[in-house]
């Protein structure tokens, strides 16, 4: 059984992209043609599951009103309003606490209650979580673990309606999302090299980062 390869078959805008254009032209191995069972079952969830429907409809309203006009930050704010959230959770990297404070104030200025949780909560040295000393950035020194599960549990305890990730490490963002009871979205994706703009690597794939792609 071959894996779906949408990026390969439709990654070039000159190709069909029939699912986007609605012209009925699809590559022979397009999942639109080969994965009918999954597609039919997922479509019904958008209309039958109340929680999913609420998120999905709010997302549609944000896209419709703010397409190419609103930044990600404003989209997050407007989504929270449309979703009718009352209490917002912010799970932040310690390196983005200043930015998270600005976000916290933004939401508060628009009438939301806000919980913000730093990734280093607990101040546990990495060795307490059985991370080997040699896997520290600076072996031999105190180095606090990131604690995304605790961040999620803080949000769960205080019953946030909607959570936003601010630059959690790769993997830690997944753990936060796994343990959060409230829906979670991301405002900042961590990339310490590109100023938190991972897409920059793709924009320079033929120049500065060509060696990464084997060019």
């Amino acid at each position: 059984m071959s894996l779906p390869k949408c990026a390969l078959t439709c990654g070039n805008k000159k190709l069909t992209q029939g699912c986007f254009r609605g012209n009925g032209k699809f590559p022979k191995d397009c999942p639109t043609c080969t994965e009918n069972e999954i597609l039919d079952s997922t479509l019904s969830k958008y209309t039958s599951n109340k929680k999913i429907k609420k998120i999905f409809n709010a997302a549609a309203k944000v896209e419709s009103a703010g397409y190419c006009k609103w930044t990600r930050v404003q989209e997050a704010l407007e989504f929270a309003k449309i979703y009718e959230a009352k209490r917002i959770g912010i799970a932040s990297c310690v390196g983005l606490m200043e930015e998270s404070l600005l976000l916290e104030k933004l939401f508060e200025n628009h009438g939301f209650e806000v919980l913000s949780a730093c990734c280093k909560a607990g101040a546990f040295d990495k060795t307490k979580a059985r991370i080997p000393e040699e896997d520290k950035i600076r072996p031999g020194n105190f180095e606090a673990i990131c604690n995304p599960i605790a961040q999620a549990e803080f949000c769960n305890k205080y019953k946030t309606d909607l959570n936003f990730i601010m630059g959690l490490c790769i993997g830690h963002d997944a753990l936060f999302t796994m343990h959060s009871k409230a829906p979670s979205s991301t405002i900042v994706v961590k990339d310490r090299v590109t100023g938190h703009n991972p897409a920059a690597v793709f924009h320079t794939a033929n120049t500065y980062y060509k060696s990464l792609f084997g060019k």
Side-chain angles (χ1 to χ4, degrees):
M1 181 183 296
S2 60
L3 299 175
K5 292 283 188 180
C6 291
L8 179 63
T9 56
C10 287
N12 187 324
K13 290 185 178 180
K14 293 180 181 179
L15 300 177
T16 58
Q17 295 187 341
C19 56
F20 169 67
R21 303 181 192 283
N23 58 16
K25 298 179 180 179
F26 308 106
K28 63 179 181 179
D29 55 352
C30 176
T32 297
C33 303
T34 62
E35 300 289 353
N36 292 327
E37 184 177 348
I38 290 177
L39 293 171
D40 289 343
S41 67
T42 54
L43 182 60
S44 66
K45 290 179 181 179
Y46 294 122
T47 56
S48 61
N49 183 298
K50 289 184 179 180
K51 186 175 182 179
I52 292 174
K53 182 178 180 180
K54 185 178 181 182
I55 295 171
F56 195 63
N57 287 355
K61 290 181 182 297
V62 168
E63 184 180 22
S64 174
Y67 191 77
C68 291
K69 293 185 289 186
W70 295 347
T71 64
R72 180 72 175 192
V73 173
Q74 186 173 356
E75 284 186 338
L77 176 64
E78 301 301 335
F79 180 87
K81 291 178 181 178
I82 297 169
Y83 185 71
E84 298 181 333
K86 303 298 181 186
R87 183 171 293 174
I88 301 295
I90 299 173
S92 179
C93 168
V94 67
L96 286 168
M97 293 307 293
E98 290 185 13
E99 292 83 352
S100 292
L101 177 58
L102 290 171
L103 183 65
E104 181 173 318
K105 289 180 177 178
L106 174 66
F107 277 112
E108 287 179 341
N109 288 341
H110 284 264
F112 295 94
E113 289 185 289
V114 182
L115 175 158
S116 54
C118 175
C119 64
K120 300 300 183 182
F124 299 122
D125 187 78
K126 288 183 176 179
T127 55
K128 288 190 174 182
R130 298 186 180 179
I131 293 176
E133 193 71 36
E134 61 267 25
D135 286 340
K136 289 183 175 181
I137 299 171
R138 299 174 184 83
N141 295 288
F142 171 81
E143 200 164 291
I145 65 167
C146 293
N147 199 347
I149 297 177
Q151 290 174 292
E153 293 299 346
F154 294 153
C155 292
N156 295 341
K157 177 180 178 179
Y158 294 100
K159 295 181 171 57
T160 54
D161 301 308
L162 185 62
N163 298 325
F164 291 103
I165 292 172
M166 287 286 286
L168 297 187
C169 296
I170 192 163
H172 298 159
D173 51 1
L175 288 172
F176 176 83
T177 303
M178 285 171 62
H179 288 83
S180 170
K181 292 181 179 179
S184 299
S185 188
T186 300
I187 293 181
V188 176
V189 176
K190 174 176 284 178
D191 190 321
R192 300 177 182 91
V193 175
T194 64
H196 309 303
N197 178 23
V201 174
F202 302 111
H203 299 325
T204 55
N206 292 316
T207 53
Y208 301 114
Y209 286 98
K210 63 182 180 181
S211 61
L212 180 65
F213 295 92
K215 296 182 179 181

